[in-house]
Amino acid sequence: MFKRTPILILFSCLILITSTSLGLGAGKKEKEKKKDKKISTVVLPIIFRMPETRWGLGGGGLLTYRAKGNPENARPSSLYFSTYYTQNKQYCIELKPEIYLKNEAYIINSYLKISKFPNKFWGYGNQTLDEAGEDYTPKMFNFDLSLQRRILSGERLYFGIQYKFEKLSIVEVEEDKQLASGLITGSEGGKLSSLGFILNWDKRDNIFFPHKGNYFQLTSNLNSPIFGSDFKFTTVKIDLRNYFPVFKSHVFAVQAILQSVTGSPTFRHMSKIGGDMVMRGLYSGRYRDMSMMVLQTELRVKISKLFGVGVFANVADVANKLDKLSLGNFKYSVGIGLRILVVPKEGTNIRLDYGFGKGTSGYYITAGEAF
């Protein structure tokens, strides 16, 4: 949810946990009757400072609930939300609902983002120099929507369609740099509109903090003028995850990602590594190209009922083509983080991570695990 660069000063000033089913004077039987209607909310006010933003103030959190008619053991629906504003009049508003309907027969995922926030671009390829980084500020409107239906009775195997829309303008660039030249695809903004499919097989025991099981997802999206896009390209992504229990309460998690983009993508929609989800410790988009391969591992250790520790190590690389990926060029990042259990019923954690790689590092605070 929240991700920042190494120059960030970030701290959480409050963690507030509420549950709409709890009330003063409510008896035990009344609470049990209302148990299946329980809504849990985690709220995280934050304050940060970066040279590009000066002081920024905002907040966000996670709401979980079960749709009417879903049994108590069904997976909970959720809503991620965040918003912040800075002294330099930059802003970001994000909403990400995930809704399970009819005892998990249907899944609706959506994403809405409205933002004007600084970013960096280093160029293409896996050999870009640190000093090549240039600042730019995009102004964006993003909307994604997907609908999945279970296609195998008794299994969480889903197939669905998804639609993605983005309207982008670049409001600030550095003079005499790559983006200012107008030669980089997407550097003058534009509109993207894509249609695609999802194949999703989810055998995790918990969607927020899995202890065992595996997860497989294949997605493909076509951006085309047919759908109203200014650009034409196709993205195919495979996401594989496995979770191995260690003793009673610890977990060893592994994730492998393979992605390929063909056609003429914008610089922002190429395969890229870095950020709070993929290669923590690298700036988001530090390396980008047409294809990427990522391997992430994490040992999640429970140290008490409410607290845990995560230790992670990752390798990844980008290349013009999948067959050009080479072990000799792979980048690494490692790190450690604190986990705070805030919704015990669902297993929802607040994650505070510090990761670093060669000449780079980053701090992150968010709700939920990286994978």
Side-chain angles (χ1 to χ4, degrees):
M1 187 188 306
F2 310 110
K3 48 185 179 293
R4 298 291 176 265
T5 63
I7 51 177
L8 165 70
I9 300 174
L10 171 65
F11 55 91
S12 173
C13 54
L14 176 66
I15 297 178
L16 174 63
I17 307 168
T18 63
S19 175
T20 59
S21 69
L22 299 180
L24 294 176
K28 184 176 180 180
K29 291 183 179 180
E30 183 179 349
K31 290 181 182 180
E32 290 176 349
K33 290 180 181 179
K34 295 182 179 181
K35 190 176 182 181
D36 61 334
K37 298 181 181 179
K38 183 175 179 179
I39 299 177
S40 299
T41 307
V42 179
V43 180
L44 285 162
I46 58 171
I47 184 170
F48 61 89
R49 180 180 174 85
M50 301 194 316
E52 303 95 331
T53 65
R54 295 191 289 166
W55 285 105
L57 180 66
L62 172 67
L63 179 149
T64 61
Y65 67 98
R66 283 175 175 77
K68 185 177 180 180
N70 280 5
E72 183 66 23
N73 61 354
R75 291 187 166 176
S77 299
S78 62
L79 172 65
Y80 290 93
F81 55 94
S82 69
T83 181
Y84 45 83
Y85 187 82
T86 77
Q87 282 185 293
N88 288 350
K89 299 182 179 180
Q90 298 141 336
Y91 55 85
C92 181
I93 301 170
E94 288 183 287
L95 295 172
K96 188 178 180 182
E98 180 172 283
I99 302 171
Y100 291 85
L101 298 173
K102 294 189 175 181
N103 196 17
E104 303 179 52
Y106 296 91
I107 305 175
I108 300 175
N109 282 293
S110 186
Y111 178 64
L112 175 66
K113 181 178 180 179
I114 303 170
S115 67
K116 176 187 174 185
F117 206 78
N119 211 321
K120 295 183 75 69
F121 175 65
W122 282 266
Y124 302 140
N126 55 24
Q127 300 296 329
T128 54
L129 302 175
D130 290 339
E131 54 266 30
E134 56 184 282
D135 296 318
Y136 73 97
T137 300
K139 185 177 181 180
M140 296 188 300
F141 172 82
N142 296 82
F143 175 73
D144 299 352
L145 179 65
S146 70
L147 172 63
Q148 302 174 54
R149 188 184 191 281
R150 186 164 53 202
I151 59 175
L152 187 61
S153 178
E155 292 284 345
R156 292 189 174 105
L157 178 62
Y158 297 86
F159 180 81
I161 58 174
Q162 59 182 356
Y163 173 74
K164 295 186 176 185
F165 176 84
E166 178 182 297
K167 187 174 183 180
L168 170 72
S169 59
I170 307 294
V171 296
E172 293 180 24
V173 295
E174 290 190 48
E175 294 184 6
D176 302 322
K177 294 292 184 72
Q178 296 181 83
L179 295 178
S181 71
L183 300 177
I184 302 296
T185 303
S187 61
E188 297 180 345
K191 182 172 59 177
L192 290 99
S193 181
S194 73
L195 191 65
F197 72 85
I198 305 173
L199 180 62
N200 185 25
W201 193 10
D202 189 350
K203 301 184 74 173
R204 297 172 296 175
D205 63 335
N206 184 289
I207 58 175
F208 296 115
F209 191 89
H211 291 82
K212 61 182 179 179
N214 50 59
Y215 175 91
F216 166 82
Q217 187 178 83
L218 169 66
T219 59
S220 179
N221 289 280
L222 171 63
N223 281 272
S224 171
I226 297 174
F227 308 126
S229 178
D230 295 332
F231 307 91
K232 187 174 182 179
F233 61 94
T234 301
T235 302
V236 179
K237 180 180 179 181
I238 298 174
D239 184 350
L240 302 171
R241 311 176 194 179
N242 214 326
Y243 303 89
F244 305 93
V246 180
F247 301 112
K248 289 185 176 181
S249 57
H250 313 319
V251 182
F252 181 69
V254 181
Q255 180 186 40
I257 302 173
L258 193 66
Q259 179 171 294
S260 178
V261 183
T262 56
S264 301
T266 73
F267 75 98
R268 288 181 52 82
H269 294 84
M270 302 184 84
S271 300
K272 57 184 182 290
I273 57 177
D276 66 331
M277 305 294 284
V278 179
M279 292 292 288
R280 283 162 285 177
L282 274 66
Y283 195 105
S284 180
R286 173 60 184 88
Y287 298 98
R288 69 184 75 207
D289 212 323
M290 300 294 280
S291 302
M292 76 172 181
M293 181 183 292
V294 179
L295 178 63
Q296 304 196 116
T297 63
E298 183 168 342
L299 178 62
R300 299 164 183 170
V301 178
K302 201 76 172 171
I303 57 178
S304 72
K305 186 176 181 180
L306 297 180
F307 296 97
V309 173
V311 180
F312 53 89
N314 317 305
V315 293
D317 193 29
V318 298
N320 186 46
K321 295 181 179 179
L322 285 174
D323 59 6
K324 299 296 183 182
L325 292 164
S326 170
L327 289 175
N329 293 323
F330 269 57
K331 283 71 182 169
Y332 74 88
S333 71
V334 296
I336 189 169
L338 176 67
R339 305 292 181 266
I340 305 172
L341 182 63
V342 290
V343 185
K345 178 183 176 182
E346 311 297 357
T348 308
N349 286 328
I350 295 298
R351 171 167 60 95
L352 299 96
D353 286 336
Y354 171 70
F356 63 92
K358 186 177 180 180
T360 181
S361 63
Y363 299 90
Y364 312 90
I365 176 171
T366 184
E369 299 298 329
F371 62 93

